[in-house]
Amino acid sequence: MNFRVLLIVAVLCATSALGDEVRPNVVFVLADDLGWADVGCYGNDFHETPNLDRMAGEGMRFTQAYAAAPVCSPYRAAFLTGQHPARLGILDYLRPNSANGLSKSLVTLPEALEKNGYETGMVGKWHLTGYRFHEAENELRPTDHGFGWNVGSEVKGVGNGANTWPYRFRTQPIRWLDLEENRLGEMEYLTDRLNLEAVEFIDRCAIAEDRKPFFLYLAHYAPHTILNGRADLVEKYIRKHPPGKSGRENCYICEDAGLGKGDPGHHWAGDHNPHLAAMLESIDDGIGKIASKLEELGLAENTIFVFTSDNGGESNVTSNAPLRGGKSELYEGGIRVPLIVRWPAKVKAGVVQDAPTMNTDFFPTILEAVGADPVPDQAVDGVSMLPLLEEVEPDAERPFFWHYPLDRPHFLGGFSGGAIRVGDWKLIERFDSGMDELFNLESDPGESTNLAAEQPERIADFKAKLAEWRSETAAKIPSPPLLTEMRQLYFADHFTPGLVSERLWYGSDFVAEDGLLKRVKNGSNSTRIFLRDAEYSDVVIRFDFRRGESKDLRLMTGSHGPYNTVIHIRPDHFFIQTAKDPTGPYFSFRHGECAFEFEPDRWYSMTIEFSGEEAVAHIDRDHLARAKHPMIAKQRTYLALQVDDAAAEFDNFMVFHAKAKKGDELAKAKEWIESVEGKHPVQKSAEEEFQIRKTNAQEWYFQRDQKYRELVERLDELDEEMRQQFPAANKSNKDFRKDVANLRKKLHDTDPVYKETLVATHRASRAIEQFLLSKKPSIDDLPNSRKKAEIERLRVRVVDDPEYQVLVKRAKSAQAKLEADYPQLFVSDKEINEQKREAQQKLKENTEFKAAKNRRAAVWREIEAYLLEVDPKLAELKAKLE
């Protein structure tokens, strides 16, 4: 008897001796886009799935198992955390350069199992991060989330059909997987390879000297389109039944194989698709191999063996009938999935379970099944399925929720919406049209009859439940773009631990923590956070915010120094402002505004579109502010968020390149915007109205009225003459600051005493920082997004420390010496204004100065009078004030 056989015998003996005390192993196999009706035991008579059918006969088959979302990334995040995608903020499939991802602050299922003595391994599709290959700033791998071993996961975008070694799609320079070597011959097929890796992981765990129970997550890429099955199996199914009509006119795989145009290889056949059948048979073959290995090792009895899919089948290559719809849709065909659970030690064979469940339930189920404690201080939206596995009567009134907001329809046809199921009733809310759909799934599983008009009370009840759930999970419904189509992601930061961008510059008043960007309390009067190396023009900018007690949140955009367009968010309204720009030349102008009550503790999403000379900011389709101005079309090099001195929070800050809609679509969008403008007016005092009108009149008439422009230009000429003739009395504060900055530079280059005195202040400041870091050295390892704010927090805690006080005293002394020796460098605005007043006082009797002032005053009065003359509304407001 060889050594390997002896080890297996030892495992069998140990398992027999320990009996029920042995913690169960867990094998979780996930198919990608496999429809509810695609498996033999669910009624399919074309696909051949003998191993899955056998698994169902030996365990429990669920008829109403749900995915938490109709696409893949949200499902995977929900499975690993037990949290709903709405709570996680992963609501759609992640694009290849996404900055979103599964937060490292969450305890995932493999992490919890690992802490409870489990060996953890993952094979296959991850799809919970962006990829460095696609220029994502950060990338998280399965091993960052608790998997002790991982192989076969993607390193770039998936779904390209390159399912055969060397796993390169067309002319792409690298394999899209992390598989470094071929193990199954020249035509190695991906699903076969993943099955091999999975079986070997089980084998290694079973015969390890320090044998532990194991958790295996096998996430297949099959049968996700582009469908591309193993050639011999494809031929088998073509012989079995002629493929249906193709839904595509072009097929890259066919062209690359030299088959010609169209789809002669049947990759996109709408029914009897031979590639779908072949890919499913490969998955089924792996199920058989895993089952055989568990039997061989004596582990089958006490292994929780799960098979399911991440969402419904793609309706262009399969049918989910009798269910309606498919992948990307909130109809049953998009979210109801096959689910089979085999666990001979606990689950009876051949049971059909009709009770609903959702994939968020796996997290608490598996932890309870293995005897692990719940994860402390972490919300779990799922409910343990153990009672269902033991055939206990389910809670018939348990609600199930879905949240799937989209900016535009999914390419498979999915729409923006939310849904709730309670008992046999299901409501779908369409965010795009506002339409409600209500179905009774017991009598109408195909969702063919909308009963919304007949059930107004149920509709109201369900909508209230949905609203309450969205509030509890902080689920957001961003307003889709109106004028533009969103294109490539330019920048994003979701402030997810482990994925925080280093492109955002933080002062000590901002910190990224707990998955949020926070404006801390007790900061300076006004502070901002800005994007480094920004350069953009037509974009869609979106961010979520909770204003707290802040009275003014701002999104600031600028061009080569000056601001151009600013969006202000006040407690009861928001508006768009363009700034003064001498290069235009333009004056400040307050554009569209919209009344909206922003509750302090509620989350909102703001969407701002920049398209040519137009900007539109909107909370939803009915609440928007619009601006149109030439300076909006400028190339931008500055982007910032600014908050006043109160705390506020931000999340999901994203910038997308944008392209203007065209033709009828653009015309309809502009018609809608014009119909909504002014729908929610902002209540203002007469003084406020007058000041805004006057500010706007200056810009309006300067651009359009020759006489007014000449008057303003004459005033500018007189101001410049006075600055030249009497600089001390007329220099602006900004010019004064420029002179001070130039003087500092000159002193630094020419005055060694100044340089040494300045260095002394720097040295003292560094000593304070080093002292603070000595109290908590770990701060020095933090990213910029947290470091400065943490230092300031530590400063508050050590303020009474004698050593700290000595260092602060030295720093103050060094600064005081610098200011005493070079007072001309430290003049306040108040002192500048006082100096100007003194200079003006000295010139009070100067004939030339008096004449210059009178000339300027006369032109200023003429400007004021002219505005009142040409703008009746301004004159009316003036009369009210007087």
Side-chain angles (χ1 to χ4, degrees):
M1 186 178 292
N2 62 33
F3 179 69
R4 174 178 170 74
V5 174
L6 285 172
L7 279 174
I8 293 173
V9 170
V11 169
L12 291 170
C13 292
T15 303
S16 176
L18 290 172
D20 291 340
E21 295 181 7
V22 175
R23 289 179 293 171
N25 305 297
V26 182
V27 176
F28 192 95
V29 181
L30 184 66
D32 193 359
D33 297 352
L34 183 67
W36 181 82
D38 281 334
V39 182
C41 57
Y42 282 84
N44 194 291
D45 58 5
F46 176 61
H47 302 152
E48 298 179 16
T49 56
N51 294 300
L52 284 168
D53 300 344
R54 186 180 305 113
M55 182 179 173
E58 296 171 350
M60 181 176 286
R61 179 173 67 86
F62 286 75
T63 63
Q64 298 191 78
Y66 284 109
V71 288
C72 54
S73 298
Y75 178 102
R76 295 160 201 274
F79 161 61
L80 291 174
T81 64
Q83 293 189 351
H84 198 279
R87 191 184 299 277
L88 294 165
I90 301 177
L91 302 175
D92 198 3
Y93 70 93
L94 299 184
R95 275 55 172 180
N97 69 338
S98 175
N100 206 356
L102 189 60
S103 171
K104 288 182 69 174
S105 66
L106 292 166
V107 177
T108 61
L109 181 58
E111 286 175 305
L113 292 173
E114 186 179 45
K115 290 176 182 176
N116 280 272
Y118 272 69
E119 200 73 49
T120 58
M122 179 185 170
V123 181
K125 182 175 177 178
W126 178 235
H127 208 171
L128 288 172
T129 184
Y131 310 104
R132 289 196 177 91
F133 178 85
H134 295 283
E135 300 183 351
E137 190 174 343
N138 297 292
E139 180 177 333
L140 291 177
R141 307 302 300 168
T143 49
D144 294 314
H145 277 290
F147 286 105
W149 173 81
N150 165 237
V151 73
S153 294
E154 73 280 2
V155 295
K156 62 181 298 300
V158 302
N160 54 37
N163 298 338
T164 304
W165 183 270
Y167 310 121
R168 284 194 179 94
F169 180 61
R170 311 201 87 192
T171 59
Q172 291 182 351
I174 65 168
R175 276 189 287 278
W176 61 275
L177 298 150
D178 63 10
L179 298 174
E180 296 181 0
E181 59 181 13
N182 180 315
R183 297 190 61 197
L184 293 175
E186 182 180 354
M187 296 302 292
E188 173 181 291
Y189 187 68
L190 178 56
T191 306
D192 295 340
R193 173 66 181 274
L194 299 184
N195 289 333
L196 171 66
E197 299 289 352
V199 169
E200 290 187 348
F201 172 78
I202 294 171
D203 211 14
R204 288 196 304 273
C205 291
I207 65 173
E209 290 186 22
D210 60 340
R211 181 182 175 268
K212 303 175 184 177
F214 59 82
F215 167 56
L216 169 65
Y217 175 32
L218 170 57
H220 282 295
Y221 298 93
H224 190 293
T225 56
I226 304 173
L227 297 178
N228 194 13
R230 208 175 73 200
D232 59 322
L233 294 176
V234 171
E235 287 301 318
K236 167 187 169 180
Y237 284 100
I238 290 176
R239 291 193 300 270
K240 184 175 181 178
H241 192 288
K245 183 180 178 181
S246 175
R248 294 290 179 94
E249 295 180 0
N250 297 307
C251 174
Y252 295 133
I253 295 174
C254 294
E255 292 178 22
D256 293 347
L259 299 178
K261 298 289 185 180
D263 183 21
H266 312 292
H267 295 271
W268 298 97
D271 62 84
H272 296 90
N273 190 301
H275 291 273
L276 173 58
M279 295 173 85
L280 180 51
E281 182 168 331
S282 294
I283 292 174
D284 186 78
D285 183 59
I287 294 294
K289 285 182 167 62
I290 291 171
S292 296
K293 178 56 66 175
L294 293 173
E295 290 288 348
E296 174 191 330
L297 297 172
L299 302 177
E301 179 73 12
N302 201 30
T303 294
I304 303 170
F305 191 3
V306 181
F307 174 80
T308 188
S309 176
D310 62 350
N311 48 251
E314 287 196 23
S315 53
N316 54 8
V317 293
T318 190
S319 170
N320 296 297
L323 305 181
R324 179 179 178 180
K327 176 181 178 179
S328 84
E329 296 179 281
L330 292 175
Y331 297 118
E332 293 291 288
I335 54 178
R336 197 186 291 196
V337 294
L339 171 60
I340 302 169
V341 179
R342 192 190 77 171
W343 186 14
K346 298 287 184 180
V347 178
K348 292 180 183 178
V351 177
V352 176
Q353 177 59 269
D354 294 323
T357 185
M358 184 177 277
N359 72 297
T360 51
D361 296 344
F362 290 120
F363 185 92
T365 301
I366 292 172
L367 291 187
E368 183 180 356
V370 306
D373 293 329
V375 177
D377 303 321
Q378 181 166 302
V380 175
D381 296 310
V383 176
S384 175
M385 296 162 55
L386 286 187
L388 296 183
L389 296 174
E390 296 169 359
E391 299 181 82
V392 174
E393 191 71 21
D395 176 8
E397 295 304 308
R398 177 192 174 187
F400 294 86
F401 300 95
W402 290 266
H403 187 63
Y404 189 52
L406 296 175
D407 285 307
R408 57 183 177 183
H410 192 281
F411 65 89
L412 290 171
F415 53 84
S416 181
I420 177 175
R421 173 176 176 170
V422 181
D424 293 328
W425 291 90
K426 177 182 170 188
L427 168 70
I428 298 177
E429 282 188 319
R430 296 191 66 140
F431 301 152
D432 50 1
S433 66
M435 183 177 77
D436 296 325
E437 295 180 280
L438 182 69
F439 304 104
N440 185 301
L441 298 177
E442 172 67 23
S443 60
D444 182 23
E447 297 170 294
S448 59
T449 304
N450 182 5
L451 301 174
E454 302 171 19
Q455 299 271 343
E457 292 184 2
R458 193 182 302 275
I459 291 285
D461 178 50
F462 278 18
K463 288 171 82 74
K465 284 183 169 67
L466 261 173
E468 182 180 358
W469 174 78
R470 287 178 190 136
S471 177
E472 192 270 325
T473 58
K476 306 167 188 74
I477 308 175
S479 182
L482 298 169
L483 290 173
T484 62
E485 295 177 356
M486 292 163 62
R487 296 300 176 93
Q488 183 78 358
L489 180 70
Y490 173 67
F491 171 79
D493 198 341
H494 301 269
F495 312 106
T496 304
L499 294 172
V500 177
S501 174
E502 290 296 303
R503 283 188 64 191
L504 288 177
W505 185 90
Y506 292 76
S508 60
D509 290 328
F510 273 105
V511 60
E513 63 180 8
D514 303 326
L516 301 172
L517 172 65
K518 299 179 181 180
R519 166 64 159 91
V520 300
K521 295 180 180 179
N522 305 317
S524 56
N525 290 334
S526 183
T527 188
R528 67 192 57 153
I529 178 169
F530 65 84
L531 179 64
R532 292 187 174 100
D533 303 320
E535 188 171 349
Y536 61 102
S537 53
D538 286 1
V539 293
V540 173
I541 299 174
R542 174 177 290 156
F543 57 90
D544 302 330
F545 67 93
R546 182 159 56 184
R547 75 170 183 86
E549 297 305 314
S550 173
K551 300 298 187 292
D552 187 26
L553 308 180
R554 303 181 196 179
L555 178 83
M556 324 270 296
T557 70
S559 303
H560 305 289
Y563 302 131
N564 54 34
T565 313
V566 181
I567 289 80
H568 290 261
I569 302 172
R570 303 279 172 81
D572 60 354
H573 70 285
F574 60 96
F575 64 91
I576 303 175
Q577 180 105 26
T578 48
K580 186 174 182 179
D581 181 1
T583 65
Y586 303 117
F587 293 93
S588 181
F589 193 95
R590 182 156 170 171
H591 298 267
E593 57 186 12
C594 180
F596 194 97
E597 292 291 335
F598 293 103
E599 298 174 24
D601 297 323
R602 183 179 167 187
W603 281 98
Y604 299 91
S605 291
M606 175 64 79
T607 300
I608 306 108
E609 301 173 65
F610 294 94
S611 179
E613 295 185 353
E614 291 187 82
V616 181
H618 41 108
I619 293 292
D620 55 45
R621 283 174 57 86
D622 282 333
H623 293 86
L624 60 82
R626 181 190 192 188
K628 186 171 184 179
H629 196 280
M631 71 184 299
I632 294 175
K634 284 193 171 187
Q635 182 80 358
R636 294 174 176 80
T637 57
Y638 185 85
L639 179 59
L641 287 168
Q642 180 170 315
V643 190
D644 60 20
D645 59 351
E649 295 175 322
F650 298 89
D651 199 3
N652 302 316
F653 185 81
M654 295 176 284
V655 184
F656 296 88
H657 291 295
K659 185 177 181 180
K661 293 178 178 178
K662 294 182 179 179
D664 290 344
E665 195 175 8
L666 180 60
K668 288 179 181 178
K670 289 192 174 185
E671 183 181 350
W672 172 261
I673 291 170
E674 289 169 3
S675 72
V676 174
E677 278 188 291
K679 185 177 180 180
H680 303 283
V682 179
Q683 298 300 315
K684 294 184 285 288
S685 67
E687 175 68 28
E688 288 175 313
E689 283 195 61
F690 175 76
Q691 291 301 332
I692 292 170
R693 184 80 183 189
K694 182 179 176 183
T695 299
N696 286 358
Q698 183 177 24
E699 165 65 359
W700 180 268
Y701 290 104
F702 184 85
Q703 301 303 332
R704 295 166 176 81
D705 189 303
Q706 179 66 25
K707 181 178 178 181
Y708 181 77
R709 182 161 53 250
E710 289 172 355
L711 287 171
V712 173
E713 289 172 348
R714 176 58 183 153
L715 187 68
D716 289 341
E717 290 171 2
L718 292 173
D719 284 341
E720 182 58 30
E721 288 175 8
M722 291 183 72
R723 276 194 293 271
Q724 295 294 331
Q725 194 171 3
F726 310 103
N730 292 285
K731 186 183 295 184
S732 69
N733 288 26
K734 187 175 182 179
D735 288 337
F736 193 99
R737 295 290 177 201
K738 285 182 181 178
D739 289 345
V740 170
N742 291 333
L743 178 58
R744 278 196 173 123
K745 187 175 185 304
K746 181 179 179 181
L747 289 171
H748 191 275
D749 294 339
T750 61
D751 187 340
V753 175
Y754 167 77
K755 189 173 182 178
E756 176 53 36
T757 309
L758 179 65
V759 168
T761 65
H762 294 166
R763 194 181 299 120
S765 296
R766 281 198 300 272
I768 292 175
E769 184 168 317
Q770 290 303 313
F771 170 79
L772 293 172
L773 291 174
S774 72
K775 295 294 183 181
K776 194 174 181 181
S778 60
I779 291 179
D780 207 26
D781 297 325
L782 292 175
N784 291 331
S785 58
R786 293 187 59 197
K787 187 172 182 178
K788 291 183 179 180
E790 287 297 328
I791 287 175
E792 292 307 310
R793 289 175 177 175
L794 186 57
R795 193 189 304 272
V796 173
R797 291 200 292 270
V798 302
V799 69
D800 295 326
D801 186 296
E803 186 177 351
Y804 174 75
Q805 290 177 343
V806 169
L807 292 172
V808 170
K809 186 176 180 180
R810 288 177 186 167
K812 287 181 177 178
S813 176
Q815 184 65 28
K817 177 172 174 50
L818 181 66
E819 293 181 17
D821 291 351
Y822 297 91
Q824 67 273 34
L825 302 179
F826 300 94
V827 181
S828 66
D829 283 341
K830 182 179 179 181
E831 290 171 318
I832 292 172
N833 292 333
E834 184 59 35
Q835 287 179 19
K836 286 196 289 187
R837 278 194 293 270
E838 289 177 2
Q840 290 169 3
Q841 191 66 27
K842 291 177 181 178
L843 293 167
K844 189 175 181 180
E845 303 303 324
N846 184 300
T847 305
E848 292 183 3
F849 180 71
K850 289 168 67 175
K853 280 190 69 175
N854 289 336
R855 286 195 298 271
R856 187 193 185 281
V859 174
W860 185 85
R861 286 192 298 270
E862 191 175 354
I863 289 173
E864 293 283 291
Y866 189 74
L867 283 179
L868 294 174
E869 177 187 332
V870 297
D871 192 329
K873 178 66 175 177
L874 186 65
E876 180 185 331
L877 290 169
K878 178 75 170 177
K880 279 185 180 180
L881 289 176
E882 293 177 344

